[in-house]
Structure formats: C-alpha cells, structure tokens
C-alpha cells in the first residue's frame, strides 16, 4: 500500500461484486476487481478510483443529492479485456 497518500484519499476493499460505499452512495467498479483494495481519491466534486499501483479504474463526479448508486458505465456481463479503457477516458 502506498505510504504517501494524498489528502482526501481512502483505501477501500471492494465486495465480491466489485462495489464500495462512499458517503452513503454505492459505486460499482466491476466484478473483475472483486475483493481488491482500491484507492478512492476525492478532489472537490471529482471521485477517482485506482488500484494500488495507480491505474485508474473509474472516474465520476459526485452524484446529485439523493442518489444511492453509481454504475461503472460498462454494459452488463463479463469483461475479460483488461486493456479496455473506461468510457470516461
């Protein structure tokens, strides 16, 4: 785990489905990342989730108040191609 984390960065462990909670909102990274530890970096209204090596997994802006779920933008189903870039890239 990186020793010099920037402020407003937390380490989260994903569920088996590749999800985590932040401020009562459920975020989906993807089942291919299930049980991994990730870095959740909040910078104002931007949320970036990276693996421990720093590779960006998802990026979002904070959802509107009342939102309880944010998907990863990928279509449902298995994703075996790790070289695929995020729709936000």
């Amino acid at each position: 785990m990186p020793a010099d984390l920037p402020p407003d960065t937390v380490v989260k462990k994903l569920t088996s489905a590749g999800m985590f909670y932040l401020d009562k909102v459920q975020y989906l990274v993807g089942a291919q990342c299930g049980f991994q530890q990730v870095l959740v970096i909040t910078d104002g209204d931007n949320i970036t989730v990276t693996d421990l090596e720093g590779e960006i997994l998802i990026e979002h802006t904070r959802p509107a108040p009342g939102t309880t779920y944010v998907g990863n933008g990928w279509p449902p189903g298995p994703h075996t191609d790790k070289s695929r870039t995020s729709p936000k890239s």
Side-chain angles (χ1 to χ4, degrees), residues 9 19 27 34 50 56 61 68 87:
T9 300
M19 296 182 184
Y27 291 86
T50 70
I56 295 175
T61 56
T68 59

Side-chain angles (χ1 to χ4, degrees), residues 5-12 20 22 38-51 54-56 58-60 62:
L5 294 176
D8 298 325
T9 300
V10 294
V11 177
K12 297 278 190 175
F20 70 94
L22 180 67
V38 294
L39 300 176
V40 180
I41 305 156
T42 54
D43 181 18
D45 283 342
N46 297 320
I47 298 171
T48 304
V49 179
T50 70
D51 61 18
E55 179 182 347
I56 295 175
I58 61 171
E59 294 178 297
H60 289 289
R62 283 203 187 267

Side-chain angles (χ1 to χ4, degrees), residues 1-87:
M1 184 174 322
D4 56 341
L5 294 176
D8 298 325
T9 300
V10 294
V11 177
K12 297 278 190 175
K13 185 172 182 179
L14 300 177
T15 67
S16 62
M19 296 182 184
F20 70 94
Y21 281 91
L22 180 67
D23 299 330
K24 298 182 182 179
V25 177
Q26 184 180 39
Y27 291 86
L28 174 65
V29 176
Q32 72 278 9
C33 299
F35 298 116
Q36 288 185 16
Q37 286 188 328
V38 294
L39 300 176
V40 180
I41 305 156
T42 54
D43 181 18
D45 283 342
N46 297 320
I47 298 171
T48 304
V49 179
T50 70
D51 61 18
L52 295 181
E53 287 77 42
E55 179 182 347
I56 295 175
L57 302 174
I58 61 171
E59 294 178 297
H60 289 289
T61 56
R62 283 203 187 267
T67 301
T68 59
Y69 174 80
V70 176
N72 61 9
W74 295 348
H79 301 283
T80 56
D81 183 12
K82 290 198 80 135
S83 66
R84 179 178 168 191
T85 58
S86 149

